[in-house]
mmCIF file with all atom_site columns, all heavy atoms in Angstrom:
data_model
loop_
_atom_site.group_PDB
_atom_site.id
_atom_site.type_symbol
_atom_site.label_atom_id
_atom_site.label_alt_id
_atom_site.label_comp_id
_atom_site.label_asym_id
_atom_site.label_entity_id
_atom_site.label_seq_id
_atom_site.pdbx_PDB_ins_code
_atom_site.Cartn_x
_atom_site.Cartn_y
_atom_site.Cartn_z
_atom_site.occupancy
_atom_site.B_iso_or_equiv
_atom_site.pdbx_formal_charge
_atom_site.auth_seq_id
_atom_site.auth_comp_id
_atom_site.auth_asym_id
_atom_site.auth_atom_id
_atom_site.pdbx_PDB_model_num
ATOM 1   N N   . THR F 1 5   ? 74.877 58.877 126.798 1.00 68.00 ? 5   THR F N   1
ATOM 2   C CA  . THR F 1 5   ? 74.005 59.940 127.286 1.00 68.00 ? 5   THR F CA  1
ATOM 3   C C   . THR F 1 5   ? 74.802 61.206 127.565 1.00 68.00 ? 5   THR F C   1
ATOM 4   O O   . THR F 1 5   ? 74.368 62.314 127.239 1.00 68.00 ? 5   THR F O   1
ATOM 5   C CB  . THR F 1 5   ? 73.282 59.483 128.569 1.00 68.00 ? 5   THR F CB  1
ATOM 6   O OG1 . THR F 1 5   ? 72.559 58.293 128.299 1.00 68.00 ? 5   THR F OG1 1
ATOM 7   C CG2 . THR F 1 5   ? 72.333 60.564 129.060 1.00 68.00 ? 5   THR F CG2 1
ATOM 8   N N   . VAL F 1 6   ? 75.966 61.038 128.177 1.00 61.00 ? 6   VAL F N   1
ATOM 9   C CA  . VAL F 1 6   ? 76.840 62.177 128.441 1.00 61.00 ? 6   VAL F CA  1
ATOM 10  C C   . VAL F 1 6   ? 77.268 62.836 127.137 1.00 61.00 ? 6   VAL F C   1
ATOM 11  O O   . VAL F 1 6   ? 77.268 64.068 127.014 1.00 61.00 ? 6   VAL F O   1
ATOM 12  C CB  . VAL F 1 6   ? 78.071 61.730 129.260 1.00 61.00 ? 6   VAL F CB  1
ATOM 13  C CG1 . VAL F 1 6   ? 79.077 62.875 129.380 1.00 61.00 ? 6   VAL F CG1 1
ATOM 14  C CG2 . VAL F 1 6   ? 77.648 61.243 130.634 1.00 61.00 ? 6   VAL F CG2 1
ATOM 15  N N   . ALA F 1 7   ? 77.623 62.009 126.139 1.00 63.00 ? 7   ALA F N   1
ATOM 16  C CA  . ALA F 1 7   ? 78.048 62.544 124.845 1.00 63.00 ? 7   ALA F CA  1
ATOM 17  C C   . ALA F 1 7   ? 76.922 63.321 124.177 1.00 63.00 ? 7   ALA F C   1
ATOM 18  O O   . ALA F 1 7   ? 77.138 64.396 123.602 1.00 63.00 ? 7   ALA F O   1
ATOM 19  C CB  . ALA F 1 7   ? 78.520 61.408 123.938 1.00 63.00 ? 7   ALA F CB  1
ATOM 20  N N   . ALA F 1 8   ? 75.695 62.784 124.257 1.00 67.00 ? 8   ALA F N   1
ATOM 21  C CA  . ALA F 1 8   ? 74.560 63.479 123.652 1.00 67.00 ? 8   ALA F CA  1
ATOM 22  C C   . ALA F 1 8   ? 74.293 64.807 124.361 1.00 67.00 ? 8   ALA F C   1
ATOM 23  O O   . ALA F 1 8   ? 74.000 65.817 123.708 1.00 67.00 ? 8   ALA F O   1
ATOM 24  C CB  . ALA F 1 8   ? 73.313 62.578 123.718 1.00 67.00 ? 8   ALA F CB  1
ATOM 25  N N   . TRP F 1 9   ? 74.402 64.791 125.698 1.00 70.00 ? 9   TRP F N   1
ATOM 26  C CA  . TRP F 1 9   ? 74.215 66.041 126.439 1.00 70.00 ? 9   TRP F CA  1
ATOM 27  C C   . TRP F 1 9   ? 75.283 67.060 126.058 1.00 70.00 ? 9   TRP F C   1
ATOM 28  O O   . TRP F 1 9   ? 74.986 68.234 125.848 1.00 70.00 ? 9   TRP F O   1
ATOM 29  C CB  . TRP F 1 9   ? 74.288 65.757 127.936 1.00 70.00 ? 9   TRP F CB  1
ATOM 30  C CG  . TRP F 1 9   ? 74.129 66.993 128.786 1.00 70.00 ? 9   TRP F CG  1
ATOM 31  C CD1 . TRP F 1 9   ? 72.968 67.513 129.274 1.00 70.00 ? 9   TRP F CD1 1
ATOM 32  C CD2 . TRP F 1 9   ? 75.182 67.871 129.209 1.00 70.00 ? 9   TRP F CD2 1
ATOM 33  N NE1 . TRP F 1 9   ? 73.221 68.663 129.982 1.00 70.00 ? 9   TRP F NE1 1
ATOM 34  C CE2 . TRP F 1 9   ? 74.579 68.916 129.955 1.00 70.00 ? 9   TRP F CE2 1
ATOM 35  C CE3 . TRP F 1 9   ? 76.556 67.892 129.028 1.00 70.00 ? 9   TRP F CE3 1
ATOM 36  C CZ2 . TRP F 1 9   ? 75.312 69.955 130.512 1.00 70.00 ? 9   TRP F CZ2 1
ATOM 37  C CZ3 . TRP F 1 9   ? 77.290 68.928 129.584 1.00 70.00 ? 9   TRP F CZ3 1
ATOM 38  C CH2 . TRP F 1 9   ? 76.681 69.944 130.327 1.00 70.00 ? 9   TRP F CH2 1
ATOM 39  N N   . ALA F 1 10  ? 76.539 66.601 125.955 1.00 66.00 ? 10  ALA F N   1
ATOM 40  C CA  . ALA F 1 10  ? 77.641 67.501 125.609 1.00 66.00 ? 10  ALA F CA  1
ATOM 41  C C   . ALA F 1 10  ? 77.442 68.097 124.224 1.00 66.00 ? 10  ALA F C   1
ATOM 42  O O   . ALA F 1 10  ? 77.722 69.276 123.996 1.00 66.00 ? 10  ALA F O   1
ATOM 43  C CB  . ALA F 1 10  ? 78.970 66.753 125.687 1.00 66.00 ? 10  ALA F CB  1
ATOM 44  N N   . GLU F 1 11  ? 76.933 67.291 123.290 1.00 67.00 ? 11  GLU F N   1
ATOM 45  C CA  . GLU F 1 11  ? 76.713 67.821 121.939 1.00 67.00 ? 11  GLU F CA  1
ATOM 46  C C   . GLU F 1 11  ? 75.620 68.877 121.936 1.00 67.00 ? 11  GLU F C   1
ATOM 47  O O   . GLU F 1 11  ? 75.748 69.914 121.277 1.00 67.00 ? 11  GLU F O   1
ATOM 48  C CB  . GLU F 1 11  ? 76.354 66.688 120.980 1.00 67.00 ? 11  GLU F CB  1
ATOM 49  C CG  . GLU F 1 11  ? 76.189 67.190 119.545 1.00 67.00 ? 11  GLU F CG  1
ATOM 50  C CD  . GLU F 1 11  ? 75.844 66.074 118.582 1.00 67.00 ? 11  GLU F CD  1
ATOM 51  O OE1 . GLU F 1 11  ? 75.924 64.900 118.979 1.00 67.00 ? 11  GLU F OE1 1
ATOM 52  O OE2 . GLU F 1 11  ? 75.485 66.392 117.443 1.00 67.00 ? 11  GLU F OE2 1
ATOM 53  N N   . ARG F 1 12  ? 74.560 68.641 122.673 1.00 71.00 ? 12  ARG F N   1
ATOM 54  C CA  . ARG F 1 12  ? 73.460 69.619 122.715 1.00 71.00 ? 12  ARG F CA  1
ATOM 55  C C   . ARG F 1 12  ? 73.910 70.931 123.345 1.00 71.00 ? 12  ARG F C   1
ATOM 56  O O   . ARG F 1 12  ? 73.417 72.001 122.986 1.00 71.00 ? 12  ARG F O   1
ATOM 57  C CB  . ARG F 1 12  ? 72.270 69.057 123.505 1.00 71.00 ? 12  ARG F CB  1
ATOM 58  C CG  . ARG F 1 12  ? 71.458 68.023 122.756 1.00 71.00 ? 12  ARG F CG  1
ATOM 59  C CD  . ARG F 1 12  ? 70.114 67.804 123.424 1.00 71.00 ? 12  ARG F CD  1
ATOM 60  N NE  . ARG F 1 12  ? 70.252 67.419 124.830 1.00 71.00 ? 12  ARG F NE  1
ATOM 61  C CZ  . ARG F 1 12  ? 70.398 66.173 125.252 1.00 71.00 ? 12  ARG F CZ  1
ATOM 62  N NH1 . ARG F 1 12  ? 70.430 65.181 124.382 1.00 71.00 ? 12  ARG F NH1 1
ATOM 63  N NH2 . ARG F 1 12  ? 70.508 65.899 126.542 1.00 71.00 ? 12  ARG F NH2 1
ATOM 64  N N   . HIS F 1 13  ? 74.853 70.855 124.285 1.00 70.00 ? 13  HIS F N   1
ATOM 65  C CA  . HIS F 1 13  ? 75.296 72.038 125.024 1.00 70.00 ? 13  HIS F CA  1
ATOM 66  C C   . HIS F 1 13  ? 76.764 72.353 124.727 1.00 70.00 ? 13  HIS F C   1
ATOM 67  O O   . HIS F 1 13  ? 77.482 72.833 125.602 1.00 70.00 ? 13  HIS F O   1
ATOM 68  C CB  . HIS F 1 13  ? 75.091 71.813 126.526 1.00 70.00 ? 13  HIS F CB  1
ATOM 69  C CG  . HIS F 1 13  ? 73.678 71.503 126.904 1.00 70.00 ? 13  HIS F CG  1
ATOM 70  N ND1 . HIS F 1 13  ? 72.694 72.466 126.995 1.00 70.00 ? 13  HIS F ND1 1
ATOM 71  C CD2 . HIS F 1 13  ? 73.069 70.317 127.191 1.00 70.00 ? 13  HIS F CD2 1
ATOM 72  C CE1 . HIS F 1 13  ? 71.553 71.896 127.349 1.00 70.00 ? 13  HIS F CE1 1
ATOM 73  N NE2 . HIS F 1 13  ? 71.749 70.597 127.464 1.00 70.00 ? 13  HIS F NE2 1
ATOM 74  N N   . GLN F 1 14  ? 77.187 72.099 123.484 1.00 74.00 ? 14  GLN F N   1
ATOM 75  C CA  . GLN F 1 14  ? 78.614 72.180 123.185 1.00 74.00 ? 14  GLN F CA  1
ATOM 76  C C   . GLN F 1 14  ? 79.194 73.567 123.395 1.00 74.00 ? 14  GLN F C   1
ATOM 77  O O   . GLN F 1 14  ? 80.333 73.704 123.873 1.00 74.00 ? 14  GLN F O   1
ATOM 78  C CB  . GLN F 1 14  ? 78.890 71.686 121.769 1.00 74.00 ? 14  GLN F CB  1
ATOM 79  C CG  . GLN F 1 14  ? 78.125 72.408 120.697 1.00 74.00 ? 14  GLN F CG  1
ATOM 80  C CD  . GLN F 1 14  ? 78.214 71.683 119.368 1.00 74.00 ? 14  GLN F CD  1
ATOM 81  O OE1 . GLN F 1 14  ? 78.897 72.142 118.475 1.00 74.00 ? 14  GLN F OE1 1
ATOM 82  N NE2 . GLN F 1 14  ? 77.529 70.568 119.228 1.00 74.00 ? 14  GLN F NE2 1
ATOM 83  N N   . VAL F 1 15  ? 78.479 74.616 123.048 1.00 73.00 ? 15  VAL F N   1
ATOM 84  C CA  . VAL F 1 15  ? 79.010 75.963 123.235 1.00 73.00 ? 15  VAL F CA  1
ATOM 85  C C   . VAL F 1 15  ? 79.238 76.241 124.714 1.00 73.00 ? 15  VAL F C   1
ATOM 86  O O   . VAL F 1 15  ? 80.277 76.790 125.111 1.00 73.00 ? 15  VAL F O   1
ATOM 87  C CB  . VAL F 1 15  ? 78.076 77.021 122.608 1.00 73.00 ? 15  VAL F CB  1
ATOM 88  C CG1 . VAL F 1 15  ? 78.537 78.421 122.978 1.00 73.00 ? 15  VAL F CG1 1
ATOM 89  C CG2 . VAL F 1 15  ? 78.027 76.864 121.096 1.00 73.00 ? 15  VAL F CG2 1
ATOM 90  N N   . ALA F 1 16  ? 78.283 75.839 125.562 1.00 81.00 ? 16  ALA F N   1
ATOM 91  C CA  . ALA F 1 16  ? 78.449 76.014 127.002 1.00 81.00 ? 16  ALA F CA  1
ATOM 92  C C   . ALA F 1 16  ? 79.637 75.201 127.513 1.00 81.00 ? 16  ALA F C   1
ATOM 93  O O   . ALA F 1 16  ? 80.398 75.666 128.374 1.00 81.00 ? 16  ALA F O   1
ATOM 94  C CB  . ALA F 1 16  ? 77.175 75.585 127.734 1.00 81.00 ? 16  ALA F CB  1
ATOM 95  N N   . VAL F 1 17  ? 79.824 73.995 126.967 1.00 84.00 ? 17  VAL F N   1
ATOM 96  C CA  . VAL F 1 17  ? 80.964 73.162 127.354 1.00 84.00 ? 17  VAL F CA  1
ATOM 97  C C   . VAL F 1 17  ? 82.271 73.858 127.001 1.00 84.00 ? 17  VAL F C   1
ATOM 98  O O   . VAL F 1 17  ? 83.228 73.889 127.790 1.00 84.00 ? 17  VAL F O   1
ATOM 99  C CB  . VAL F 1 17  ? 80.879 71.779 126.674 1.00 84.00 ? 17  VAL F CB  1
ATOM 100 C CG1 . VAL F 1 17  ? 82.172 70.987 126.890 1.00 84.00 ? 17  VAL F CG1 1
ATOM 101 C CG2 . VAL F 1 17  ? 79.695 70.986 127.214 1.00 84.00 ? 17  VAL F CG2 1
ATOM 102 N N   . VAL F 1 206 ? 83.214 66.263 121.317 1.00 83.00 ? 206 VAL F N   1
ATOM 103 C CA  . VAL F 1 206 ? 83.054 67.470 122.125 1.00 83.00 ? 206 VAL F CA  1
ATOM 104 C C   . VAL F 1 206 ? 84.041 67.478 123.297 1.00 83.00 ? 206 VAL F C   1
ATOM 105 O O   . VAL F 1 206 ? 84.709 68.500 123.536 1.00 83.00 ? 206 VAL F O   1
ATOM 106 C CB  . VAL F 1 206 ? 81.600 67.628 122.609 1.00 83.00 ? 206 VAL F CB  1
ATOM 107 C CG1 . VAL F 1 206 ? 81.482 68.787 123.596 1.00 83.00 ? 206 VAL F CG1 1
ATOM 108 C CG2 . VAL F 1 206 ? 80.670 67.866 121.410 1.00 83.00 ? 206 VAL F CG2 1
ATOM 109 N N   . ARG F 1 312 ? 77.960 79.591 116.269 1.00 90.00 ? 312 ARG F N   1
ATOM 110 C CA  . ARG F 1 312 ? 76.550 79.989 116.270 1.00 90.00 ? 312 ARG F CA  1
ATOM 111 C C   . ARG F 1 312 ? 76.258 81.091 115.246 1.00 90.00 ? 312 ARG F C   1
ATOM 112 O O   . ARG F 1 312 ? 75.202 81.108 114.617 1.00 90.00 ? 312 ARG F O   1
ATOM 113 C CB  . ARG F 1 312 ? 76.152 80.490 117.665 1.00 90.00 ? 312 ARG F CB  1
ATOM 114 C CG  . ARG F 1 312 ? 76.181 79.432 118.740 1.00 90.00 ? 312 ARG F CG  1
ATOM 115 C CD  . ARG F 1 312 ? 75.173 78.340 118.467 1.00 90.00 ? 312 ARG F CD  1
ATOM 116 N NE  . ARG F 1 312 ? 75.046 77.427 119.585 1.00 90.00 ? 312 ARG F NE  1
ATOM 117 C CZ  . ARG F 1 312 ? 74.389 76.272 119.529 1.00 90.00 ? 312 ARG F CZ  1
ATOM 118 N NH1 . ARG F 1 312 ? 73.807 75.904 118.408 1.00 90.00 ? 312 ARG F NH1 1
ATOM 119 N NH2 . ARG F 1 312 ? 74.319 75.484 120.589 1.00 90.00 ? 312 ARG F NH2 1
#
Side-chain angles (χ1 to χ4, degrees):
T5 303
V6 173
W9 179 90
E11 183 180 350
R12 284 196 304 273
H13 302 282
Q14 57 192 253
V15 172
V17 171
V206 173
R312 294 296 189 191

